[in-house]
Amino acid sequence: MSGMDGQLGEDAFGWIDATCLSEAACVTFTEDDEVGRVAAAFGGRLDHALPVEGVRPLAEALAVVAERIPGSRFGKGLPVALFARRDGWAVTFEDNGGEGTRAAVLERASRVCRSVSVFWNVNMLTKFAFAENGRVLAEFSDGALGSVHGADPGRIDAALEGLGWESRLGAMFTLAGRLTGQVFTPEWLNGEFLAVPLVRWPRRDADGRLFLPELDGALGEALRSAGEGPLRRAAFAAAEYAVTMAGISGHPVIAEALAAWPERPALLERMAQSVGSRPARSNPGPMRAQGRAGETAPAVRPADLEIARRLRGYPEGVSDSEPGHAMAVQALHQATEAAAPVVVAYRAIKYADEARRDLGHDVAGLREVVMRAFAAS
């Protein structure tokens, strides 16, 4: 069905509640069936793309991504989008993501066509955006039609007529259908999907305060364009910097891992699992635990700690209660991953940045060693 006549009503999208997209997602429709071009507009690394074999449900494709691309869920790694073709359009699915609503993406994706994006999250915060010929013409959040803004917000006035907004999600997908002629039905959730890691484009307020691609344009460009060698060297440089700044580079397991890179000693794997992945400021050790009445819990006996260390399989000297330790260990652990190089580099750099923040260090030192590693021939 196409055009406003024949579009489904707002109450026709309740089926979404029973799917893998029910809690939080972003669905973007782009009038371009060249999936690679659309993925590149999202900041995707096509050389690291994962084709999900065969026609299958989106839920199965997401499970394959979770298994094959480390950290793709829960903010532990690069965001990953799934792309598919349908009736001359590319549809992009982001599970718990929202890159498709960003102007930096929509302007690129809609360069010679139309793009429409629908976003919602678990708190039912929503956003709708419509772009054409490289301009975001209209966008609004949370159904606030009084604050529609963009290059030409009036372009969606006719399509908005008659919408009741009893369901924000239903109204947004109805609006998307009116603007594109594409009706979002359960059939769209079955297809041949291409999973692509995304390196976020820099935000408008990017100032380098955190060493992340959305806040540091040079890092983002390096992550999008560097080959395998520079990516893995940058990952190692970030990890080495982190363990050195945390004062644990001389620890036997850490020293062995640094010397063995890119191999991963078994004890490093065990150590990474043991110390966790949270910075010390939010992960107090057992000595700091508080009783129900606010009193300090009984001290853990040294003999118990020694037994725990032996079970973990490494000597003492690294603790999740010490600033920077857990994050630095995780950075080194990521730098020795066998996963796609851009994923390895991003995760190692991200954990190294967490470590230096936990230690109270300025970002300049980490940025220098990582960008030098990217530049090395």
Side-chain angles (χ1 to χ4, degrees), residues 112-337:
V112 293
C113 62
R114 292 172 288 172
S115 288
V116 172
S117 185
V118 176
F119 163 85
W120 66 100
N121 70 11
V122 69
N123 299 316
M124 273 313 295
L125 298 176
T126 61
K127 186 173 181 180
F128 182 93
F130 170 53
E132 187 176 45
N133 295 330
R135 297 189 305 158
V136 179
L137 301 182
E139 59 182 320
F140 58 88
S141 298
D142 304 329
L145 301 182
S147 60
V148 179
H149 58 283
D152 186 6
R155 278 288 303 278
I156 67 171
D157 285 351
L160 285 168
E161 289 182 7
L163 294 179
W165 294 94
E166 287 83 5
S167 163
R168 283 187 198 167
L169 206 53
M172 289 192 299
F173 275 113
T174 300
L175 179 58
R178 291 177 176 182
L179 292 168
T180 65
Q182 301 301 307
V183 182
F184 189 53
T185 63
E187 287 70 32
W188 286 71
L189 271 60
N190 289 278
E192 294 185 58
F193 296 102
L194 181 69
V196 184
L198 310 180
V199 180
R200 293 184 175 100
W201 299 107
R203 294 179 352 195
R204 288 186 174 134
D205 64 344
D207 58 6
R209 62 186 178 275
L210 299 179
F211 202 40
L212 298 171
E214 60 267 38
L215 292 173
D216 192 298
L219 173 62
E221 182 58 32
L223 287 170
R224 272 187 294 275
S225 61
E228 178 171 359
L231 285 167
R232 294 201 183 276
R233 285 197 301 270
F236 180 72
E240 185 176 38
Y241 177 88
V243 296
T244 301
M245 291 301 99
I248 57 175
S249 60
H251 183 285
V253 176
I254 302 294
E256 180 187 358
L258 291 172
W261 181 84
E263 302 299 322
R264 176 190 290 169
L267 287 182
L268 178 63
E269 177 86 32
R270 215 173 296 174
M271 177 185 283
Q273 293 172 354
S274 214
V275 297
S277 60
R278 290 176 294 170
R281 59 180 178 271
S282 63
N283 192 26
M287 293 294 207
R288 303 181 188 177
Q290 298 295 306
R292 290 186 179 179
E295 298 177 355
T296 303
V300 179
R301 294 180 303 165
D304 293 335
L305 291 176
E306 180 56 36
I307 292 170
R309 278 194 289 272
R310 285 204 304 271
L311 290 174
R312 291 173 177 176
Y314 60 85
E316 62 180 303
V318 175
S319 168
D320 58 6
S321 64
E322 291 298 322
H325 282 202
M327 290 283 126
V329 169
Q330 290 298 327
L332 186 56
H333 186 256
Q334 298 309 320
T336 55
E337 273 280 3

